Amino acid sequence: MATTADETRAGLPTPHTIRLPGIVLGVGLGGFLDGILLHQLLQWHHMLSSTNHDRIGVRYYNPHTVSGLEMNTVWDGIFHAVCWIAVLLGLALLYARVTHDRRRVWGSRVLWGWILVGWGLFNLVEGVLDHQILGIHHVRTGPEQPWWDAGFLILGALLVAGGHLLQRGGAAPDPEAPRATGHV
């Protein structure tokens, strides 16, 4: 990763310029990681796998039956479609806001810090909304369910804090500055 001085000389965007694109990318990428790892590979839960104990009255689709797994898979697909849209939106915002030396932005601590913040925000919002408030699914059901849900929230908070610290060290002045002419 580039250092602060290197980023400044390169004319990389300021943290506030790529804050929103980075956060939106992080939300989408964090959602993809959650869906691919927890829903598909580990099969710990699906979008509606705890609706038999939810707080809003959604019909229960038992993920251990074919018809229940089909419905949960549809909702997992909707979740992945939203994640995909978030990634595309984040990329479009980033492209629109960074007009010079775009390739260097991908190595910037600023962008990767904001992406980590977005991933952490995904965990916090999804964890509080789906696991705690709605109760439509949990990280992993069973006797340790509260610990898994708490760990998901703690991971989210750590990602937000770590991303914030990472991006703080990568500030640069002008997003419209032409490419640096000297060697970095």
Side-chain angles (χ1 to χ4, degrees):
M1 299 253 168
T3 65
T4 304
D6 291 341
E7 290 172 353
T8 301
R9 284 195 301 268
L12 292 176
T14 58
H16 74 275
T17 304
I18 58 176
R19 178 186 310 149
L20 181 61
I23 289 173
V24 173
L25 273 170
V27 165
L29 293 172
F32 271 134
L33 183 66
D34 173 90
I36 292 167
L37 182 63
L38 301 180
H39 296 212
Q40 295 173 332
L41 295 176
L42 296 175
Q43 298 180 16
W44 283 0
H45 70 261
H46 299 282
M47 286 305 295
L48 303 177
S49 58
S50 292
T51 54
N52 56 333
H53 302 292
D54 72 346
R55 294 178 181 86
I56 57 173
V58 174
R59 180 173 174 234
Y60 179 53
Y61 299 99
N62 184 343
H64 303 291
T65 66
V66 173
S67 62
L69 185 57
E70 286 175 345
M71 185 56 76
N72 273 285
T73 302
V74 167
W75 280 97
D76 287 349
I78 292 168
F79 170 72
H80 279 111
V82 171
C83 294
W84 183 65
I85 290 168
V87 169
L88 290 179
L89 180 60
L91 289 171
L93 288 167
L94 185 63
Y95 185 82
R97 291 183 180 197
V98 178
T99 58
H100 298 288
D101 214 6
R102 289 183 176 114
R103 186 174 293 181
R104 285 184 155 279
V105 172
W106 288 104
S108 166
R109 288 185 288 170
V110 175
L111 178 62
W112 289 103
W114 287 123
I115 288 173
L116 288 177
V117 167
W119 179 8
L121 289 174
F122 165 81
N123 275 28
L124 292 172
V125 170
E126 202 266 342
V128 168
L129 185 64
D130 290 343
H131 306 167
Q132 305 301 320
I133 295 173
L134 301 177
I136 60 174
H137 70 258
H138 298 278
V139 175
R140 188 163 191 184
T141 57
E144 291 86 24
Q145 176 179 304
W147 294 106
W148 284 105
D149 287 349
F152 193 80
L153 293 172
I154 291 168
L155 175 61
L158 290 173
L159 288 167
V160 169
H164 180 71
L165 291 173
L166 181 63
Q167 67 81 27
R168 278 182 44 157
D174 184 7
E176 300 297 323
R179 184 178 195 159
T181 55
H183 292 287
V184 189

